Amino acid sequence: MIIITSSHRPSRRVRSLINDLARTLPRASRINRGKKSLEDLGNIMWLEGYKILIIVNTRKANPGRVDIYLRRDREVARVGYMVITSVKLSREQGVPECFFRSPVIDLTGCSVLGCEETGEMLRIILSAIDHDSKGNQDAGEIIHVSSRDGLIFIWFTRDGKICGPRIGIRRIQLLSFQEKPGEDRAWR
């Protein structure tokens, strides 16, 4: 299960992206951050059985960075982050919301440095959901990772139709749990 929240004082656009993501990602819930610290969020995750925490941070009234955390007992460990350059919400694109249950990740349209890290970050996020009893994923629900002009884009389709937000990424950093903090893998 996944919790999606914001930095302490989110803009309207950040709240809209959080709502869009909570409706798109499987088994995701949004909570109002308020004055909750990272420790408080870790305790909520532990008590309610959540595995992944996604925090959308604000930069100049827009989504600027998405931090991904994994719960370990009552503590949360940062897995990595994505620096966002652009966001197109569902309503801005005129497309419906997705409501995914068990999506597949498609990296075939991505050919720049950082695509594999983006795919790995998405796999970590999706590891928090339980697929159906046979472990199958729905081939009609796809999270696409594509590239254009040196940027990476994450977008969603369901049964061949675009749905959900479209997120442009300028930089991604994936932190490894086994490596020392100075040995992080980064794409700029």
Side-chain angles (χ1 to χ4, degrees):
M1 294 181 11
I2 304 166
I3 289 182
I4 304 174
T5 191
S6 65
S7 52
H8 286 290
R9 296 187 60 178
S11 66
R12 288 180 185 167
R13 189 157 175 78
V14 168
R15 286 194 301 268
S16 294
L17 175 62
I18 290 168
N19 289 334
D20 238 0
L21 287 173
R23 289 183 200 109
T24 302
L25 295 175
R27 308 221 26 204
S29 302
R30 64 170 286 284
I31 62 168
N32 291 326
R33 174 92 183 254
K35 294 184 179 183
K36 294 178 188 74
S37 67
L38 204 53
E39 183 180 330
D40 294 337
L41 293 171
N43 286 332
I44 290 170
M45 291 174 68
W46 183 75
L47 288 171
E48 298 187 18
Y50 289 97
K51 296 178 186 174
I52 298 287
L53 170 65
I54 299 174
I55 299 177
V56 181
N57 295 289
T58 305
R59 185 175 194 284
K60 296 184 180 179
N62 284 305
R65 190 182 72 227
V66 176
D67 294 324
I68 314 295
Y69 294 87
L70 183 65
R71 179 178 60 88
R72 292 183 172 182
D73 295 323
R74 288 184 186 225
E75 304 280 321
V76 290
R78 189 164 154 192
V79 175
Y81 64 88
M82 296 181 263
V83 177
I84 297 174
T85 59
S86 64
V87 169
K88 282 264 193 175
L89 301 170
S90 298
R91 70 171 186 260
E92 295 169 346
Q93 300 178 79
V95 299
E97 297 161 351
C98 289
F99 303 106
F100 281 174
R101 284 176 288 181
S102 190
V104 182
I105 300 169
D106 176 20
L107 295 173
T108 57
C110 199
S111 58
V112 298
L113 187 64
C115 291
E116 289 299 320
E117 288 84 356
T118 305
E120 183 60 28
M121 184 88 71
L122 291 170
R123 281 188 275 285
I124 290 168
I125 293 169
L126 294 179
S127 71
I129 65 166
D130 299 319
H131 299 293
D132 67 16
S133 60
K134 296 176 186 170
N136 294 331
Q137 293 179 305
D138 187 344
E141 301 175 344
I142 303 172
I143 300 175
H144 299 271
V145 179
S146 62
S147 60
R148 190 178 76 223
D149 300 329
L151 297 176
I152 295 175
F153 293 93
I154 298 174
W155 51 287
F156 307 87
T157 59
R158 182 181 188 103
D159 299 326
K161 297 177 183 170
I162 295 174
C163 60
R166 181 181 177 99
I167 303 168
I169 300 169
R170 180 182 65 210
R171 180 172 191 252
I172 184 164
Q173 183 153 0
L174 185 63
L175 309 174
S176 176
F177 297 115
Q178 290 79 22
E179 298 171 0
K180 296 176 183 154
E183 298 176 358
D184 304 334
R185 296 184 299 181
W187 168 69
R188 295 176 207 260

PDB file of all heavy atoms in Angstrom, residues 67-91:
ATOM      1  N   ASP A  67       9.878  12.743  -3.654  1.00  0.00           N
ATOM      2  CA  ASP A  67      10.732  11.885  -2.825  1.00  0.00           C
ATOM      3  C   ASP A  67      10.006  10.573  -2.573  1.00  0.00           C
ATOM      4  O   ASP A  67       8.817  10.571  -2.249  1.00  0.00           O
ATOM      5  CB  ASP A  67      11.046  12.546  -1.486  1.00  0.00           C
ATOM      6  CG  ASP A  67      11.885  13.795  -1.632  1.00  0.00           C
ATOM      7  OD1 ASP A  67      12.759  13.824  -2.512  1.00  0.00           O
ATOM      8  OD2 ASP A  67      11.667  14.753  -0.865  1.00  0.00           O
ATOM      9  N   ILE A  68      10.735   9.458  -2.689  1.00  0.00           N
ATOM     10  CA  ILE A  68      10.171   8.127  -2.485  1.00  0.00           C
ATOM     11  C   ILE A  68      10.836   7.513  -1.254  1.00  0.00           C
ATOM     12  O   ILE A  68      12.066   7.476  -1.164  1.00  0.00           O
ATOM     13  CB  ILE A  68      10.421   7.203  -3.708  1.00  0.00           C
ATOM     14  CG1 ILE A  68      10.102   7.901  -5.021  1.00  0.00           C
ATOM     15  CG2 ILE A  68       9.679   5.889  -3.547  1.00  0.00           C
ATOM     16  CD1 ILE A  68       8.681   8.269  -5.230  1.00  0.00           C
ATOM     17  N   TYR A  69      10.025   7.029  -0.333  1.00  0.00           N
ATOM     18  CA  TYR A  69      10.511   6.404   0.898  1.00  0.00           C
ATOM     19  C   TYR A  69       9.931   4.999   1.025  1.00  0.00           C
ATOM     20  O   TYR A  69       8.805   4.746   0.608  1.00  0.00           O
ATOM     21  CB  TYR A  69      10.090   7.207   2.130  1.00  0.00           C
ATOM     22  CG  TYR A  69      10.717   8.576   2.220  1.00  0.00           C
ATOM     23  CD1 TYR A  69      10.134   9.660   1.595  1.00  0.00           C
ATOM     24  CD2 TYR A  69      11.888   8.777   2.940  1.00  0.00           C
ATOM     25  CE1 TYR A  69      10.696  10.922   1.672  1.00  0.00           C
ATOM     26  CE2 TYR A  69      12.457  10.028   3.021  1.00  0.00           C
ATOM     27  CZ  TYR A  69      11.859  11.101   2.395  1.00  0.00           C
ATOM     28  OH  TYR A  69      12.419  12.341   2.472  1.00  0.00           O
ATOM     29  N   LEU A  70      10.701   4.107   1.645  1.00  0.00           N
ATOM     30  CA  LEU A  70      10.283   2.740   1.916  1.00  0.00           C
ATOM     31  C   LEU A  70      10.258   2.557   3.429  1.00  0.00           C
ATOM     32  O   LEU A  70      11.190   2.992   4.120  1.00  0.00           O
ATOM     33  CB  LEU A  70      11.276   1.769   1.269  1.00  0.00           C
ATOM     34  CG  LEU A  70      11.008   0.288   1.370  1.00  0.00           C
ATOM     35  CD1 LEU A  70       9.739  -0.064   0.600  1.00  0.00           C
ATOM     36  CD2 LEU A  70      12.182  -0.494   0.812  1.00  0.00           C
ATOM     37  N   ARG A  71       9.213   1.934   3.942  1.00  0.00           N
ATOM     38  CA  ARG A  71       9.107   1.730   5.394  1.00  0.00           C
ATOM     39  C   ARG A  71       9.934   0.527   5.824  1.00  0.00           C
ATOM     40  O   ARG A  71       9.895  -0.531   5.211  1.00  0.00           O
ATOM     41  CB  ARG A  71       7.659   1.512   5.797  1.00  0.00           C
ATOM     42  CG  ARG A  71       7.500   1.268   7.297  1.00  0.00           C
ATOM     43  CD  ARG A  71       6.061   1.092   7.700  1.00  0.00           C
ATOM     44  NE  ARG A  71       5.396  -0.018   7.051  1.00  0.00           N
ATOM     45  CZ  ARG A  71       5.388  -1.265   7.490  1.00  0.00           C
ATOM     46  NH1 ARG A  71       6.043  -1.589   8.579  1.00  0.00           N
ATOM     47  NH2 ARG A  71       4.726  -2.194   6.835  1.00  0.00           N
ATOM     48  N   ARG A  72      10.683   0.720   6.889  1.00  0.00           N
ATOM     49  CA  ARG A  72      11.398  -0.361   7.570  1.00  0.00           C
ATOM     50  C   ARG A  72      11.008  -0.275   9.036  1.00  0.00           C
ATOM     51  O   ARG A  72      11.465   0.631   9.739  1.00  0.00           O
ATOM     52  CB  ARG A  72      12.900  -0.199   7.426  1.00  0.00           C
ATOM     53  CG  ARG A  72      13.388  -0.398   6.026  1.00  0.00           C
ATOM     54  CD  ARG A  72      14.881  -0.296   6.001  1.00  0.00           C
ATOM     55  NE  ARG A  72      15.372  -0.672   4.693  1.00  0.00           N
ATOM     56  CZ  ARG A  72      16.639  -0.706   4.393  1.00  0.00           C
ATOM     57  NH1 ARG A  72      17.555  -0.390   5.277  1.00  0.00           N
ATOM     58  NH2 ARG A  72      17.023  -1.059   3.195  1.00  0.00           N
ATOM     59  N   ASP A  73      10.160  -1.181   9.484  1.00  0.00           N
ATOM     60  CA  ASP A  73       9.561  -1.134  10.822  1.00  0.00           C
ATOM     61  C   ASP A  73       8.867   0.216  10.998  1.00  0.00           C
ATOM     62  O   ASP A  73       8.014   0.558  10.233  1.00  0.00           O
ATOM     63  CB  ASP A  73      10.599  -1.405  11.906  1.00  0.00           C
ATOM     64  CG  ASP A  73      11.145  -2.824  11.804  1.00  0.00           C
ATOM     65  OD1 ASP A  73      10.365  -3.729  11.477  1.00  0.00           O
ATOM     66  OD2 ASP A  73      12.346  -3.008  12.042  1.00  0.00           O
ATOM     67  N   ARG A  74       9.272   1.000  11.996  1.00  0.00           N
ATOM     68  CA  ARG A  74       8.652   2.321  12.195  1.00  0.00           C
ATOM     69  C   ARG A  74       9.446   3.434  11.533  1.00  0.00           C
ATOM     70  O   ARG A  74       9.052   4.592  11.567  1.00  0.00           O
ATOM     71  CB  ARG A  74       8.522   2.625  13.685  1.00  0.00           C
ATOM     72  CG  ARG A  74       7.466   1.800  14.359  1.00  0.00           C
ATOM     73  CD  ARG A  74       7.318   2.206  15.796  1.00  0.00           C
ATOM     74  NE  ARG A  74       6.398   1.301  16.458  1.00  0.00           N
ATOM     75  CZ  ARG A  74       5.441   1.698  17.251  1.00  0.00           C
ATOM     76  NH1 ARG A  74       5.263   2.964  17.484  1.00  0.00           N
ATOM     77  NH2 ARG A  74       4.657   0.827  17.818  1.00  0.00           N
ATOM     78  N   GLU A  75      10.551   3.103  10.944  1.00  0.00           N
ATOM     79  CA  GLU A  75      11.410   4.088  10.276  1.00  0.00           C
ATOM     80  C   GLU A  75      11.090   4.122   8.786  1.00  0.00           C
ATOM     81  O   GLU A  75      10.602   3.148   8.221  1.00  0.00           O
ATOM     82  CB  GLU A  75      12.885   3.687  10.442  1.00  0.00           C
ATOM     83  CG  GLU A  75      13.330   3.508  11.879  1.00  0.00           C
ATOM     84  CD  GLU A  75      13.621   4.814  12.560  1.00  0.00           C
ATOM     85  OE1 GLU A  75      14.182   5.706  11.899  1.00  0.00           O
ATOM     86  OE2 GLU A  75      13.273   4.949  13.746  1.00  0.00           O
ATOM     87  N   VAL A  76      11.411   5.232   8.152  1.00  0.00           N
ATOM     88  CA  VAL A  76      11.300   5.315   6.697  1.00  0.00           C
ATOM     89  C   VAL A  76      12.676   5.627   6.135  1.00  0.00           C
ATOM     90  O   VAL A  76      13.418   6.443   6.684  1.00  0.00           O
ATOM     91  CB  VAL A  76      10.263   6.370   6.233  1.00  0.00           C
ATOM     92  CG1 VAL A  76       8.869   5.913   6.542  1.00  0.00           C
ATOM     93  CG2 VAL A  76      10.519   7.719   6.834  1.00  0.00           C
ATOM     94  N   ALA A  77      13.041   4.927   5.063  1.00  0.00           N
ATOM     95  CA  ALA A  77      14.330   5.121   4.404  1.00  0.00           C
ATOM     96  C   ALA A  77      14.077   5.684   3.008  1.00  0.00           C
ATOM     97  O   ALA A  77      13.237   5.175   2.271  1.00  0.00           O
ATOM     98  CB  ALA A  77      15.079   3.795   4.313  1.00  0.00           C
ATOM     99  N   ARG A  78      14.808   6.706   2.656  1.00  0.00           N
ATOM    100  CA  ARG A  78      14.632   7.328   1.347  1.00  0.00           C
ATOM    101  C   ARG A  78      15.230   6.440   0.260  1.00  0.00           C
ATOM    102  O   ARG A  78      16.380   6.040   0.329  1.00  0.00           O
ATOM    103  CB  ARG A  78      15.306   8.700   1.338  1.00  0.00           C
ATOM    104  CG  ARG A  78      15.005   9.494   0.122  1.00  0.00           C
ATOM    105  CD  ARG A  78      15.369  10.924   0.372  1.00  0.00           C
ATOM    106  NE  ARG A  78      15.665  11.587  -0.878  1.00  0.00           N
ATOM    107  CZ  ARG A  78      16.220  12.763  -0.964  1.00  0.00           C
ATOM    108  NH1 ARG A  78      16.560  13.404   0.128  1.00  0.00           N
ATOM    109  NH2 ARG A  78      16.450  13.306  -2.121  1.00  0.00           N
ATOM    110  N   VAL A  79      14.413   6.121  -0.738  1.00  0.00           N
ATOM    111  CA  VAL A  79      14.828   5.278  -1.854  1.00  0.00           C
ATOM    112  C   VAL A  79      15.442   6.130  -2.955  1.00  0.00           C
ATOM    113  O   VAL A  79      16.384   5.721  -3.614  1.00  0.00           O
ATOM    114  CB  VAL A  79      13.612   4.495  -2.414  1.00  0.00           C
ATOM    115  CG1 VAL A  79      13.978   3.713  -3.650  1.00  0.00           C
ATOM    116  CG2 VAL A  79      13.025   3.597  -1.356  1.00  0.00           C
ATOM    117  N   GLY A  80      14.904   7.318  -3.143  1.00  0.00           N
ATOM    118  CA  GLY A  80      15.411   8.199  -4.180  1.00  0.00           C
ATOM    119  C   GLY A  80      14.459   9.348  -4.420  1.00  0.00           C
ATOM    120  O   GLY A  80      13.496   9.537  -3.677  1.00  0.00           O
ATOM    121  N   TYR A  81      14.757  10.108  -5.476  1.00  0.00           N
ATOM    122  CA  TYR A  81      13.882  11.226  -5.811  1.00  0.00           C
ATOM    123  C   TYR A  81      13.925  11.508  -7.300  1.00  0.00           C
ATOM    124  O   TYR A  81      14.836  11.094  -8.008  1.00  0.00           O
ATOM    125  CB  TYR A  81      14.244  12.487  -5.023  1.00  0.00           C
ATOM    126  CG  TYR A  81      15.613  13.050  -5.329  1.00  0.00           C
ATOM    127  CD1 TYR A  81      15.798  13.962  -6.370  1.00  0.00           C
ATOM    128  CD2 TYR A  81      16.721  12.690  -4.577  1.00  0.00           C
ATOM    129  CE1 TYR A  81      17.045  14.485  -6.644  1.00  0.00           C
ATOM    130  CE2 TYR A  81      17.961  13.203  -4.846  1.00  0.00           C
ATOM    131  CZ  TYR A  81      18.125  14.109  -5.875  1.00  0.00           C
ATOM    132  OH  TYR A  81      19.357  14.624  -6.155  1.00  0.00           O
ATOM    133  N   MET A  82      12.887  12.210  -7.764  1.00  0.00           N
ATOM    134  CA  MET A  82      12.795  12.638  -9.149  1.00  0.00           C
ATOM    135  C   MET A  82      12.571  14.151  -9.155  1.00  0.00           C
ATOM    136  O   MET A  82      11.690  14.636  -8.442  1.00  0.00           O
ATOM    137  CB  MET A  82      11.613  11.971  -9.852  1.00  0.00           C
ATOM    138  CG  MET A  82      11.735  10.481  -9.974  1.00  0.00           C
ATOM    139  SD  MET A  82      10.332   9.760 -10.848  1.00  0.00           S
ATOM    140  CE  MET A  82       9.334   9.249  -9.474  1.00  0.00           C
ATOM    141  N   VAL A  83      13.354  14.876  -9.942  1.00  0.00           N
ATOM    142  CA  VAL A  83      13.148  16.313 -10.107  1.00  0.00           C
ATOM    143  C   VAL A  83      12.239  16.506 -11.313  1.00  0.00           C
ATOM    144  O   VAL A  83      12.545  16.062 -12.416  1.00  0.00           O
ATOM    145  CB  VAL A  83      14.492  17.059 -10.297  1.00  0.00           C
ATOM    146  CG1 VAL A  83      14.247  18.539 -10.528  1.00  0.00           C
ATOM    147  CG2 VAL A  83      15.395  16.836  -9.092  1.00  0.00           C
ATOM    148  N   ILE A  84      11.124  17.167 -11.080  1.00  0.00           N
ATOM    149  CA  ILE A  84      10.091  17.322 -12.102  1.00  0.00           C
ATOM    150  C   ILE A  84      10.289  18.624 -12.871  1.00  0.00           C
ATOM    151  O   ILE A  84      10.545  19.671 -12.276  1.00  0.00           O
ATOM    152  CB  ILE A  84       8.696  17.323 -11.442  1.00  0.00           C
ATOM    153  CG1 ILE A  84       8.439  15.986 -10.761  1.00  0.00           C
ATOM    154  CG2 ILE A  84       7.611  17.642 -12.446  1.00  0.00           C
ATOM    155  CD1 ILE A  84       7.162  15.943  -9.974  1.00  0.00           C
ATOM    156  N   THR A  85      10.151  18.550 -14.201  1.00  0.00           N
ATOM    157  CA  THR A  85      10.210  19.757 -15.023  1.00  0.00           C
ATOM    158  C   THR A  85       8.831  20.189 -15.485  1.00  0.00           C
ATOM    159  O   THR A  85       8.592  21.378 -15.663  1.00  0.00           O
ATOM    160  CB  THR A  85      11.073  19.553 -16.275  1.00  0.00           C
ATOM    161  OG1 THR A  85      10.528  18.492 -17.046  1.00  0.00           O
ATOM    162  CG2 THR A  85      12.497  19.253 -15.918  1.00  0.00           C
ATOM    163  N   SER A  86       7.940  19.233 -15.709  1.00  0.00           N
ATOM    164  CA  SER A  86       6.603  19.586 -16.189  1.00  0.00           C
ATOM    165  C   SER A  86       5.589  18.561 -15.712  1.00  0.00           C
ATOM    166  O   SER A  86       5.920  17.397 -15.501  1.00  0.00           O
ATOM    167  CB  SER A  86       6.584  19.646 -17.720  1.00  0.00           C
ATOM    168  OG  SER A  86       6.859  18.371 -18.260  1.00  0.00           O
ATOM    169  N   VAL A  87       4.364  19.038 -15.558  1.00  0.00           N
ATOM    170  CA  VAL A  87       3.252  18.173 -15.170  1.00  0.00           C
ATOM    171  C   VAL A  87       2.037  18.582 -15.983  1.00  0.00           C
ATOM    172  O   VAL A  87       1.727  19.768 -16.104  1.00  0.00           O
ATOM    173  CB  VAL A  87       2.924  18.318 -13.665  1.00  0.00           C
ATOM    174  CG1 VAL A  87       1.626  17.632 -13.319  1.00  0.00           C
ATOM    175  CG2 VAL A  87       4.038  17.771 -12.810  1.00  0.00           C
ATOM    176  N   LYS A  88       1.374  17.594 -16.551  1.00  0.00           N
ATOM    177  CA  LYS A  88       0.072  17.802 -17.191  1.00  0.00           C
ATOM    178  C   LYS A  88      -0.911  16.931 -16.423  1.00  0.00           C
ATOM    179  O   LYS A  88      -0.821  15.703 -16.462  1.00  0.00           O
ATOM    180  CB  LYS A  88       0.102  17.366 -18.662  1.00  0.00           C
ATOM    181  CG  LYS A  88       0.756  18.346 -19.566  1.00  0.00           C
ATOM    182  CD  LYS A  88      -0.312  19.185 -20.171  1.00  0.00           C
ATOM    183  CE  LYS A  88       0.268  19.974 -21.332  1.00  0.00           C
ATOM    184  NZ  LYS A  88      -0.739  20.711 -22.005  1.00  0.00           N
ATOM    185  N   LEU A  89      -1.824  17.566 -15.731  1.00  0.00           N
ATOM    186  CA  LEU A  89      -2.820  16.835 -14.964  1.00  0.00           C
ATOM    187  C   LEU A  89      -3.858  16.223 -15.899  1.00  0.00           C
ATOM    188  O   LEU A  89      -3.994  16.643 -17.052  1.00  0.00           O
ATOM    189  CB  LEU A  89      -3.503  17.768 -13.967  1.00  0.00           C
ATOM    190  CG  LEU A  89      -2.568  18.449 -12.956  1.00  0.00           C
ATOM    191  CD1 LEU A  89      -3.324  19.517 -12.196  1.00  0.00           C
ATOM    192  CD2 LEU A  89      -1.958  17.437 -12.024  1.00  0.00           C
ATOM    193  N   SER A  90      -4.601  15.259 -15.406  1.00  0.00           N
ATOM    194  CA  SER A  90      -5.639  14.604 -16.219  1.00  0.00           C
ATOM    195  C   SER A  90      -6.618  15.621 -16.791  1.00  0.00           C
ATOM    196  O   SER A  90      -6.948  15.591 -17.969  1.00  0.00           O
ATOM    197  CB  SER A  90      -6.419  13.588 -15.383  1.00  0.00           C
ATOM    198  OG  SER A  90      -5.579  12.581 -14.925  1.00  0.00           O
ATOM    199  N   ARG A  91      -7.062  16.525 -15.942  1.00  0.00           N
ATOM    200  CA  ARG A  91      -8.071  17.496 -16.387  1.00  0.00           C
ATOM    201  C   ARG A  91      -7.516  18.456 -17.437  1.00  0.00           C
ATOM    202  O   ARG A  91      -8.238  18.917 -18.302  1.00  0.00           O
ATOM    203  CB  ARG A  91      -8.655  18.256 -15.207  1.00  0.00           C
ATOM    204  CG  ARG A  91      -7.698  19.223 -14.555  1.00  0.00           C
ATOM    205  CD  ARG A  91      -8.417  20.112 -13.537  1.00  0.00           C
ATOM    206  NE  ARG A  91      -7.515  21.109 -13.032  1.00  0.00           N
ATOM    207  CZ  ARG A  91      -6.880  21.039 -11.878  1.00  0.00           C
ATOM    208  NH1 ARG A  91      -7.084  20.005 -11.084  1.00  0.00           N
ATOM    209  NH2 ARG A  91      -6.064  21.993 -11.500  1.00  0.00           N
TER     210      ARG A  91
END
